[in-house]
């Protein structure tokens, strides 16, 4: 986190844009020498880069994330207001994907080449090939305009159901194929054939002897998929006009809102570290040899 904060702070600070000039234009201030000097001193832009970083880092860890150049509000307050929407989208999509992927992968492995296996393969290719924003637009038009089953861009709880399903669909396809692949590997092991010889059906043997290892492999896929969910969540927030972090970020990029960009990088890094920690804890629970 420390190395990432330094790297991102340096890159963002070296962007070809003067935050003071941007703030003066956005806030309609008078571009006098006194105003420019006062803002540069308030934001520490008149200090060396390393001192600016140390000052920012000290404020950041104490909850002072600076002010947004675009809105004029504290960045921490802006993030605190929007973070629940992004977390709800990302976490709900991941959890639903895991719940859906296990039965799909199980029945695909129980009968290779069967209907479930072929359907899961088609589903995986489809969600990988079709852009999420395009599929979202089509579903908005079909379900919201033609069938009127949903209310597009509504402000109630139902507005988040379709974005969550779209996020979950991509991850579910990936998880299901990973789960199936590991089960197929288990079916080639001698102990699996021994379980069949003792009288267990294929499905019973798969669940008793392959599920734990396949779920372990699925959790490993969660690590990489957690990064993809960030981009998918951003797409859904923009497409469905949801007031999340990513929508706020996109609006801030156009005005080079450095405080928002820096805070977003740190929040995303923390999200990935937390997801990695959760996966490690669950994997240790599934495999006591890692303890």
């Amino acid at each position: 986190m420390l190395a990432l904060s330094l790297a991102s702070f340096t890159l963002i600070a070296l962007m070809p844009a003067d935050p003071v000039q941007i703030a003066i234009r956005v806030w309609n201030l008078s571009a006098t020498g006194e105003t420019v000097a006062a803002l540069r001193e308030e934001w520490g832009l008149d200090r060396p880069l390393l001192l600016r970083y140390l000052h920012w880092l000290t404020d950041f860890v104490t909850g002072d994330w600076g002010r947004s150049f675009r809105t004029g509000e504290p960045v921490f307050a802006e993030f605190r207001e929007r973070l629940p929407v992004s977390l709800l989208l990302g976490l709900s999509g991941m959890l639903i994907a895991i719940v859906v992927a296990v039965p799909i992968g199980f029945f695909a492995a129980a009968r290779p080449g069967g209907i479930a296996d072929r359907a899961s393969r088609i589903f995986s290719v489809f969600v990988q090939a079709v852009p999420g924003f395009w599929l979202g637009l089509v579903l908005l038009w079909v379900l919201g305009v033609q069938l009127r089953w949903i209310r597009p861009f509504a402000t109630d709880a139902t507005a988040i159901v379709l974005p969550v399903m779209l996020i979950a669909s991509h991850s579910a396809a990936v998880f299901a194929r990973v789960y199936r692949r590991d089960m197929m590997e288990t079916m080639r092991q001698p102990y699996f054939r021994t379980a069949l010889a003792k009288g267990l059906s294929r499905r019973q043997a798969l669940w008793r002897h392959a599920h734990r290892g396949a779920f372990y492999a699925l959790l490993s896929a969660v690590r990489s998929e957690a990064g993809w969910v960030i981009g998918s969540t951003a797409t859904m927030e923009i497409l469905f006009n949801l007031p999340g972090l990513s929508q706020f970020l996109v609006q801030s990029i156009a005005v080079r809102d450095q405080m928002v960009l820096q805070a977003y990088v740190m929040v995303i890094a923390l999200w990935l570290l937390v997801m990695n920690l959760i996966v490690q804890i669950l994997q240790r629970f599934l495999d006591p040899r890692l303890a």
Side-chain angles (χ1 to χ4, degrees):
M1 289 288 287
L2 187 63
L4 178 64
S5 68
L6 177 59
S8 60
F9 184 89
T10 302
L11 289 175
I12 293 173
L14 295 178
M15 288 193 306
D18 187 352
V20 172
Q21 296 299 326
I22 293 173
I24 288 176
R25 184 172 63 253
V26 173
W27 297 346
N28 293 321
L29 299 176
S30 177
T32 62
E34 292 80 5
T35 301
V36 172
L39 288 176
R40 293 187 67 85
E41 182 180 0
E42 179 183 353
W43 295 339
L45 298 177
D46 56 345
R47 288 179 259 177
L49 182 61
L50 183 58
L51 292 180
R52 286 167 53 191
Y53 167 73
L54 295 175
H55 179 73
W56 169 85
L57 183 62
T58 303
D59 290 343
F60 187 85
V61 297
T62 57
D64 182 5
W65 294 5
R67 286 187 176 274
S68 169
F69 302 155
R70 184 173 61 86
T71 65
E73 298 296 325
V75 175
F76 185 81
E78 297 278 12
F79 274 53
R80 183 176 57 194
E81 179 182 350
R82 292 169 170 79
L83 183 60
V85 176
S86 297
L87 284 179
L88 180 61
L89 284 173
L91 289 177
S92 299
M94 293 282 285
L95 291 175
I96 292 174
I98 293 173
V99 171
V100 171
V102 170
I104 292 177
F106 179 83
F107 287 111
R111 191 175 179 183
I115 296 177
D117 191 19
R118 291 197 298 269
S120 68
R121 185 181 296 110
I122 294 172
F123 176 54
S124 178
V125 172
F126 176 79
V127 298
Q128 295 281 343
V130 176
F133 69 88
W134 182 86
L135 184 58
L137 286 172
V138 172
L139 291 178
L140 276 176
W141 180 71
V142 174
L143 300 180
V145 178
Q146 298 298 317
L147 300 178
R148 298 185 180 180
W149 290 355
I150 63 173
R151 293 189 301 164
F153 313 115
T155 57
D156 53 20
T158 59
I160 208 168
V161 174
L162 185 56
V164 168
M165 292 297 103
L166 287 170
I167 294 173
S169 62
H170 181 279
S171 299
V174 174
F175 293 159
R177 300 307 292 179
V178 170
Y179 186 87
R180 173 198 177 276
R181 182 195 62 195
D182 200 84
M183 279 205 157
M184 296 296 294
E185 289 293 330
T186 302
M187 291 171 62
R188 302 187 183 98
Q189 302 302 317
Y191 64 84
F192 185 83
R193 293 193 294 269
T194 301
L196 294 177
K198 289 182 176 180
L200 292 180
S201 67
R202 180 183 292 270
R203 292 184 179 181
Q204 289 175 329
L206 279 173
W207 186 255
R208 293 186 185 183
H209 299 285
H211 166 68
R212 195 182 187 95
F215 194 74
Y216 184 96
L218 186 152
L219 289 177
S220 298
V222 169
R223 295 180 178 179
S224 58
E225 198 67 14
W228 182 92
V229 166
I230 298 170
S232 181
T233 300
T235 303
M236 296 302 110
E237 288 178 8
I238 300 301
L239 181 60
F240 291 90
N241 194 30
L242 298 173
L245 284 184
S246 298
Q247 185 194 64
F248 185 61
L249 173 73
V250 171
Q251 295 169 349
S252 301
I253 288 175
V255 295
R256 304 295 195 274
D257 202 336
Q258 294 187 7
M259 294 297 182
V260 174
L261 299 180
Q262 181 67 25
Y264 185 83
V265 170
M266 299 306 296
V267 169
I268 295 305
L270 183 61
W271 154 266
L272 293 175
L273 286 175
V274 170
M275 291 300 297
N276 186 67
L277 177 62
I278 293 174
V279 169
Q280 284 186 344
I281 293 174
L282 292 175
Q283 286 181 331
R284 288 179 182 273
F285 175 76
L286 290 173
D287 190 353
R289 294 174 301 177
L290 298 176

